[in-house]
Amino acid sequence: AGSRASIQAALRTLLTAPWPSQRDVRAWLQLLAVLQWVLSFLLLGVVSLLLLIYLVFTSFWPISALYLAWVIFDWDTPEKGGRRLTCLRKWPVWKHFRDYFPVQLVKTHDLSPSHNYIIGSHPHGILCVGAFCNFITGSTGFSEMFPGIRPFLTTLAGNFRLPVFREYLMSGGLCPVTRQAIGYLLSKNGTGNAVAIVIGGAAESLSCQPGVTTLILKNRKGFVRMALEHGACLVPSFSFGENDLFRQVVFKEGSWMRSIQQRFQKMMGFAPVVFYGRGITSIQSRGFLPYPRPITTVVGEPVTVPKIEDPSRETVDLYHEMYVRSLLKLFNENKTKYGLSETDELRI
């Protein structure tokens, strides 16, 4: 009788306890969506590699052998457009991912399906959330805004050497940031392809400071040469709010940590950045998740580029200058609409 009474009391307590509101449930789903994305990019490749190595020394070694054979057979696929899966791009989880920040896509001009495009994505930030959400997930309506255009996003070629992770990347429409992969999409995959390149790379995150957004763009002209060689239009895009997702630990000029960052940047082309975000339990705690800050990605006006098989340096410089002017115009026309002040500047 005592146990029955205690069970009944427990049930009454449970029934009278406040149930989570729809708002709370949405917030949890959004947090879980971002958590799985961050963990996938940080751990999926490494964990899969370690697991396959471990299986070699067990009775399940045929799994590792078969997958290795598959990777050898499928080695060139990332360089040839990858293997997009519409079901993954339209995965409902991405809507929760979008709403966590939230992320918004803004169209300023039409893109014709009869052309190919190189979309310059700025700035890099820490994890390129705006570029991923808009060009890979489809949750912000890219296909509806730009009918007939297939978006791709480039990332480091080394990511496609990691088992399982390579399949995950290709299924979303990611491809290596190599001349071969980009050239294939611009010349052997028909028209209507839009290849998004985060031009500044991780080095940009080292140069962020309040009131000034610094882009690593002045001496990066390879994307312009590629556009000229294939006659692809250049399209600037800017993600307002990208640099607000994490807090960077900035070391003073002359400090030993700053000198290590600068030396590493000269040697490797990018600098190790010390940053932190929010924790899983609350926004006030510190952790590795991005803060929920609005991101608005504005896609600008295409710069029409002629097809020149072997463009001269002067021609590359000319169209690079035209692209920079178009990007500055896009930034200055939209900065006050999406969280920046009139005095904020874009430094190239």
Side-chain angles (χ1 to χ4, degrees):
S3 61
R4 185 188 304 168
S6 62
I7 292 172
Q8 289 175 342
L11 286 173
R12 280 195 297 271
T13 303
L14 183 64
L15 290 172
T16 56
W19 287 85
S21 64
Q22 287 187 341
R23 183 178 178 181
D24 291 335
V25 172
R26 282 197 302 270
W28 293 341
L29 289 172
Q30 290 165 12
L31 185 65
L32 286 173
V34 173
L35 178 63
Q36 67 81 27
W37 177 75
V38 171
L39 292 179
S40 295
F41 271 82
L42 292 179
L43 299 176
L44 181 59
V46 175
V47 171
S48 299
L49 179 61
L50 293 175
L51 179 60
L52 287 172
I53 292 172
Y54 168 75
L55 292 178
V56 169
F57 302 99
T58 69
S59 57
F60 295 101
W61 65 265
I63 295 175
S64 298
L66 286 171
Y67 187 78
L68 178 60
W70 163 252
V71 169
I72 293 171
F73 172 78
D74 196 52
W75 190 259
D76 293 331
T77 300
E79 304 278 351
K80 296 180 178 179
R83 194 167 34 246
R84 296 158 68 93
L85 293 177
T86 303
C87 59
L88 187 74
R89 290 172 61 86
K90 293 186 176 180
W91 197 18
V93 166
W94 300 130
K95 292 184 179 180
H96 298 298
F97 179 87
R98 171 200 66 195
D99 294 339
Y100 170 85
F101 298 97
V103 182
Q104 179 186 5
L105 181 65
V106 175
K107 169 185 173 180
T108 61
H109 292 78
D110 291 330
L111 300 181
S112 170
S114 61
H115 294 94
N116 285 324
Y117 303 88
I118 290 180
I119 300 178
S121 179
H122 311 275
H124 181 282
I126 300 295
L127 292 178
C128 303
V129 171
F132 178 86
C133 191
N134 288 299
F135 302 131
I136 294 301
T137 71
S139 62
T140 55
F142 184 95
S143 297
E144 291 74 25
M145 289 187 194
F146 302 102
I149 303 295
R150 293 181 296 276
F152 296 84
L153 179 63
T154 58
T155 185
L156 294 173
N159 289 328
F160 294 89
R161 304 294 177 247
L162 292 170
V164 181
F165 190 45
R166 70 190 293 275
E167 325 298 339
Y168 178 72
L169 294 177
M170 284 193 288
S171 63
L174 284 112
C175 62
V177 61
T178 62
R179 288 184 63 84
Q180 184 179 346
I182 297 169
Y184 180 91
L185 292 172
L186 298 179
S187 63
K188 298 179 181 178
N189 199 45
T191 58
N193 301 293
V195 184
I197 304 175
V198 187
I199 296 162
E204 279 182 350
S205 55
L206 195 63
S207 307
C208 295
Q209 60 187 43
V212 179
T213 301
T214 302
L215 301 184
I216 308 298
L217 178 59
K218 187 176 181 180
N219 296 317
R220 301 211 169 175
K221 302 177 181 179
F223 72 103
V224 178
R225 182 173 293 277
M226 288 286 293
L228 285 162
E229 289 174 354
H230 299 284
C233 299
L234 290 167
V235 183
S237 73
F238 195 93
S239 293
F240 294 91
E242 184 73 47
N243 286 337
D244 299 328
L245 302 183
F246 293 92
R247 292 176 184 166
Q248 184 187 159
V249 179
V250 180
F251 300 101
K252 293 181 179 179
E253 287 292 340
S255 66
W256 66 274
M257 275 300 296
R258 185 71 172 186
S259 63
I260 289 175
Q261 287 178 316
Q262 291 170 342
R263 196 172 304 166
F264 198 92
Q265 185 171 345
K266 287 180 181 178
M267 291 171 57
M268 306 298 294
F270 66 94
V273 178
V274 181
F275 66 91
Y276 63 90
R278 60 161 291 182
I280 296 174
T281 54
S282 71
I283 296 178
Q284 286 71 34
S285 61
R286 289 191 181 185
F288 57 91
L289 295 179
Y291 289 104
R293 304 277 190 270
I295 303 171
T296 304
T297 301
V298 184
V299 179
E301 182 178 4
V303 176
T304 304
V305 175
K307 186 175 182 179
I308 303 173
E309 190 172 330
D310 187 20
S312 65
R313 181 182 295 179
E314 291 75 20
T315 304
V316 172
D317 290 345
L318 172 65
Y319 282 94
H320 183 270
E321 188 179 332
M322 290 171 63
Y323 175 83
V324 170
R325 283 203 303 267
S326 182
L327 176 62
L328 287 168
K329 179 184 176 186
L330 179 148
F331 178 84
N332 290 320
E333 286 180 351
N334 292 279
K335 61 183 180 181
T336 55
K337 298 178 187 176
Y338 304 115
L340 300 182
S341 67
E342 191 64 48
T343 57
D344 280 82
E345 61 177 295
L346 184 64
R347 187 176 295 166
I348 306 297

